[in-house]
Amino acid sequence: MYNAKAYSAASATAPLASTRITRRETTDRDVQIDILFCGICHSDLHTVRNEWSSVMPTVYPVVPGHEIVGRVVKVGPAVTRFKPGDLVGVGCLVDSDQTCPHCQADVEQFCRNATFTYNSPDKHLGGVTYGGYSESIVVDEHFVLRVPANLDPAGVAPLLCAGITTYSPMRRWGDIKGMKVGVVGLGGLGHMGVKFGRALGARVVVFTTSPGKKEDALRLGANEVIVSTNPEEMKQHTGTFNFILDTIAAEHDINAYITMLGLEGNITLVGAPEQPLPVSAFALLFGRKSISGSLIGGIRETQEMLDFCGEHNITADVEVIPIQKVNEAYERLVRSDVKYRFSIDMESLKR
Ligand code: NAP
Ligand code: ZN
């Protein structure tokens, strides 16, 4: 075992602060990674503040971070796919049983024995796993991703969660080329949804509560922007969408978006608000519409997404910050004041 510098929160109300954590020595199939950048996902904030206490209560201290890019420094003797010096990524998953039907089907995120990157029982050290707000991490090679060399590492980090979470449901919906696709909420996930929707050939329409984001949405690739608080703008699009991706992190009226769907349209939730959302049966019945959920993506699909990003030159729009600004960044994230993802430069942890 060895010590690594990290940032942790001691309770739901405590700020994140500098600490030291224990990492395991590499076992046969492990890869040890020096972390270069880690994105700040809204899930980090939900977890630090224990906002998902009814589903996944937070164990303190918590070290968040599951949008990790780093360089391999050491590998176990049985590792075949990586060597020291490789640029790699780690997302929300660091282990699973790799034998159950879900693992066999390359959807390890649904494995009953999956280990998430933080706040998940640690099979090696006991206690819970610690995430990427740290200088180093050790991960089974199956859960380590190759990062295309042509992409900027700071902007790649958010692909490991925000990227795969929006790419996966869009691919799952089928060929969205030429379809009218809505993206609700222009945050970390939403802005990636716009980039993928556009790259996949859809006609992308952004729903935002922030009129100030209109120009950015168009620059990011949206064909049109609707300010969702304006009933007139909303009304014009009633019944016209094939597919809508809802990324909102807080309570909101989902029925307003179901109404936007056309015949047999689907709205997929990826946002995870603390409280349940009331759904109008009638909004679904008329038009035989459906509502679904989606959780990140499996490892194979995450690699496919990274390769797709390499080919299409897609990264997240990031504001790079030192880790000392992480608490301020959380406050700004709550106010939707980030364009469009914070990426922590882990070099700052050495200060
Ligand atoms: P984010 O950067 O904070 O973006 C969320 C966006 O939602 C905001 O930028 C804002 O966009 C909109 N919004 C926020 N509060 C709102 C409100 N009260 N009413 C209407 N719109 C509101 O968060 P994120 O990192 O993209 O994450 C979004 C959600 O997805 C979180 O709940 C997160 O935990 C969840 N998540 C799920 C998965 C999964 O696998 N399913 C993976 C990662 C994250 P506008 O300013 O444009 O309105
Ligand atoms: Zn995330």
Side-chain angles (χ1 to χ4, degrees):
M1 292 192 297
Y2 65 96
N3 267 321
K5 285 186 181 173
Y7 257 56
S8 72
S11 76
T13 51
L16 288 146
S18 177
T19 187
R20 278 190 175 273
I21 56 170
T22 301
R23 296 293 194 192
R24 67 177 183 266
E25 287 300 333
T26 47
T27 65
D28 278 3
R29 293 189 310 159
D30 279 339
V31 175
Q32 184 178 325
I33 301 161
D34 269 1
I35 301 177
L36 298 172
F37 292 95
C38 184
I40 298 181
C41 178
H42 208 114
S43 303
D44 300 351
L45 188 151
H46 288 305
T47 305
V48 164
R49 299 188 176 175
N50 205 11
E51 289 173 356
W52 291 337
S53 57
S54 58
V55 193
M56 293 184 269
T58 305
V59 178
Y60 295 95
V62 60
V63 177
H66 56 205
E67 295 185 335
I68 299 166
V69 165
R71 216 165 270 289
V72 175
V73 288
K74 197 174 163 189
V75 297
V79 169
T80 56
R81 293 168 45 238
F82 300 101
K83 58 179 190 319
D86 288 352
L87 190 66
V88 294
V90 176
C92 304
L93 288 165
V94 289
D95 203 4
S96 69
D97 60 32
Q98 295 183 51
T99 54
C100 74
H102 296 317
C103 289
Q104 298 289 309
D106 290 313
V107 283
E108 299 92 341
Q109 72 271 36
F110 305 123
C111 171
R112 289 175 65 142
N113 299 307
T115 303
F116 291 91
T117 305
Y118 59 81
N119 198 44
S120 198
D122 186 327
K123 289 170 196 156
H124 296 265
L125 298 177
V128 292
T129 50
Y130 293 137
Y133 295 10
S134 165
E135 61 183 343
S136 171
I137 193 165
V138 178
V139 181
D140 180 304
E141 77 163 326
H142 179 77
F143 297 87
V144 178
L145 288 309
R146 289 183 309 276
V147 171
N150 59 315
L151 301 177
D152 165 40
V156 167
L159 300 179
L160 277 305
C161 176
I164 184 60
T165 301
T166 49
Y167 178 87
S168 180
M170 282 192 178
R171 291 313 293 249
R172 197 176 150 66
W173 182 242
D175 186 2
I176 60 171
K177 198 169 178 184
M179 285 190 186
K180 187 168 174 183
V181 167
V183 174
V184 188
L186 195 68
L189 266 57
H191 95 290
M192 289 313 307
V194 171
K195 292 187 185 204
F196 286 131
R198 193 61 193 264
L200 293 167
R203 177 174 169 71
V204 180
V205 181
V206 167
F207 294 92
T208 180
T209 59
S210 313
K213 292 183 183 173
K214 224 168 176 169
E215 261 176 48
D216 274 350
L218 297 171
R219 176 181 57 79
L220 291 164
N223 297 89
E224 220 173 316
V225 185
I226 300 170
V227 177
S228 54
T229 48
N230 181 337
E232 282 309 309
E233 277 186 52
M234 290 288 275
K235 217 165 141 189
Q236 286 168 29
H237 293 265
T238 301
T240 62
F241 283 83
N242 301 102
F243 176 72
I244 295 177
L245 192 66
D246 183 345
T247 78
I248 297 180
E251 277 169 76
H252 61 286
D253 178 17
I254 188 178
N255 300 303
Y257 299 102
I258 296 174
T259 310
M260 295 295 130
L261 294 170
L263 184 64
E264 296 187 334
N266 170 272
I267 181 164
T268 294
L269 297 183
V270 285
E274 191 176 355
Q275 298 299 329
L277 302 171
V279 173
S280 154
F282 283 100
L284 288 174
L285 301 183
F286 284 91
R288 209 152 57 193
K289 299 165 188 174
S290 63
I291 174 169
S292 316
S294 192
L295 183 74
I296 49 174
I299 295 300
R300 181 196 283 268
E301 194 176 38
T302 305
Q303 188 62 62
E304 177 192 308
M305 178 275 309
L306 285 169
D307 295 344
F308 181 89
C309 288
E311 273 164 43
H312 292 82
N313 228 336
I314 294 174
T315 52
D317 284 27
V318 290
E319 178 178 336
V320 176
I321 59 161
I323 191 129
Q324 291 78 8
K325 290 211 163 165
V326 67
N327 293 301
E328 194 184 306
Y330 272 36
E331 290 312 315
R332 287 180 52 197
L333 188 60
V334 172
R335 298 197 301 267
S336 300
D337 173 26
V338 50
K339 292 181 171 181
Y340 278 85
R341 197 59 140 189
F342 290 111
S343 186
I344 306 169
D345 181 354
M346 280 309 157
E347 188 66 29
S348 60
L349 200 51
K350 302 202 169 92
R351 280 179 210 159

